[in-house]
Amino acid sequence: MLPGAGAGPHSLFVTRDWVHPAVKASWDSAQADSRGTTLPAKSKECLIGMAVGWFYLSVLALCSLGSMCILSTIYWIWYWQGGFAWDGTMLMFNWHPVLMVTGMVVFYSAASLVYRLPQSWVGPKLPWKFGHAAMHLLAFILTVLGLHAVFDFHSHRKIPNLYSLHSWLGITTVFLFACQWFLGFAVFLLPWASVQLRSLLKPFHVFFGASVLSLAIASVISGINEKLFSSLKNGTNSYSSLPSEAVFANCSGMLVVVFGLLVLYILLASSWKRPELGMQAERQALLHGGE
């Protein structure tokens, strides 16, 4: 049940921490103290509606931007680079940018935002942990396929691997992603780890989660740049002359940057984080208000 649904005049307990920063100014003028004030029903519905609206508006923007990132990369490769194949030729290499954008950026971001959904605040956390781990595993599988495409192409063409800054940055990102996933699976999903160990490792897990996404975005941008420099070499159609392919690919890269910044903002916004134990009862009461 979404916040505010079916709430009676005095059945909903609202806390400042839950509300999006954009509505905290209104909050300050509507309550006498900084926490735990019971507001009139209309004020509660207004504040909650604005907070939920901001969140789902951001989710809608993310879905649109993520889809545009994937589709624009596919269109760039299909229209200007000849399409796709799985045969060791350049057409096999063309899978690399599509799979990396889809896996390392879009699917990775979706998996990272699982705990920002208000529905995840209610009830046991384990199903959401499984969803978080499964989506990250899918992102990792797509990433491995993207790496296989480029390594297999290099092998057929006798091209050295891991010589460019882009490749160093990319392989470092994938390595950290793998470590992050296995650490999360072993410590946060399996039942053997103590609460103290999880509390100790959680800040590192969160930090490296955001770091991997930032590195993935940097890898995508450097990869697009490297691809354009290698494919737009001749004088009549050089990268510096900014042909239509370069404009489109640059715009695709900027889409990835905007998408990543929005994801990082939602990840860092305290008002959208899953509550800790001290806040859990209050926010569950919020989500179940009026039932």
Side-chain angles (χ1 to χ4, degrees):
M1 180 177 180
L2 290 177
H10 303 289
S11 63
L12 196 56
F13 189 80
V14 185
T15 59
R16 178 184 173 91
D17 290 57
W18 186 82
V19 179
H20 186 272
V23 303
K24 285 182 178 176
S26 299
W27 183 287
D28 288 336
S29 63
Q31 66 175 11
D33 53 28
S34 62
R35 191 180 298 273
T37 299
T38 303
L39 301 176
K42 288 185 179 180
S43 298
K44 295 172 186 176
E45 292 173 3
C46 179
L47 288 170
I48 292 168
M50 290 176 69
V52 174
W54 272 107
F55 177 81
Y56 285 108
L57 181 63
S58 298
V59 170
L60 179 62
L62 274 182
C63 292
S64 301
L65 282 171
S67 299
M68 290 171 64
C69 289
I70 297 172
L71 292 175
S72 64
T73 306
I74 293 173
Y75 183 80
W76 169 39
I77 297 300
W78 184 268
Y79 187 80
W80 279 286
Q81 298 295 325
F84 305 92
W86 202 265
D87 54 4
T89 66
M90 177 61 76
L91 299 183
M92 182 174 181
F93 172 88
N94 287 348
W95 281 108
H96 175 68
V98 173
L99 290 170
M100 301 310 275
V101 169
T102 304
M104 278 301 306
V105 177
V106 178
F107 279 39
Y108 181 93
S109 298
S112 299
L113 293 173
V114 162
Y115 295 128
R116 298 302 181 266
L117 293 172
Q119 292 83 352
S120 71
W121 298 351
V122 180
K125 194 175 181 179
L126 187 60
W128 298 97
K129 286 186 177 182
F130 277 115
H132 180 70
M135 292 178 69
H136 271 307
L137 181 60
L138 176 59
F140 187 72
I141 291 172
L142 293 175
T143 300
V144 170
L145 289 174
L147 288 179
H148 174 70
V150 68
F151 281 125
D152 201 52
F153 166 71
H154 283 183
S155 177
H156 279 79
R157 291 289 188 91
K158 302 296 188 295
I159 300 174
N161 291 309
L162 302 177
Y163 62 88
S164 67
L165 178 59
H166 163 68
S167 62
W168 287 18
L169 186 60
I171 205 68
T172 301
T173 306
V174 175
F175 174 75
L176 290 176
F177 184 13
C179 294
Q180 174 83 344
W181 191 89
F182 283 110
L183 174 67
F185 180 82
V187 175
F188 298 102
L189 192 60
L190 297 181
W192 69 272
S194 65
V195 174
Q196 291 79 5
L197 179 60
R198 292 180 180 182
S199 299
L200 177 65
L201 293 179
K202 183 179 178 181
F204 297 98
H205 188 64
V206 172
F207 170 76
F208 281 105
S211 298
V212 168
L213 176 59
S214 302
L215 290 171
I217 295 168
S219 299
V220 167
I221 299 306
S222 61
I224 291 174
N225 214 30
E226 184 175 295
K227 178 63 176 174
L228 290 174
F229 273 119
S230 65
S231 61
L232 299 176
K233 290 180 177 179
N234 63 74
T236 59
N237 200 36
S238 64
Y239 192 6
S240 60
S241 66
L242 210 61
S244 57
E245 179 183 359
V247 173
F248 187 88
N250 286 351
C251 290
S252 297
M254 292 303 299
L255 276 177
V256 171
V257 171
V258 173
F259 174 81
L261 291 176
L262 183 55
V263 171
L264 290 172
Y265 171 73
I266 294 178
L267 286 174
L268 296 175
S270 59
S271 54
W272 289 335
K273 290 181 180 180
R274 179 183 170 95
E276 300 297 337
L277 292 177
M279 294 292 297
Q280 187 71 29
E282 293 179 3
R283 297 196 186 182
Q284 285 190 4
L286 175 67
L287 291 171
H288 284 302
E291 289 187 349

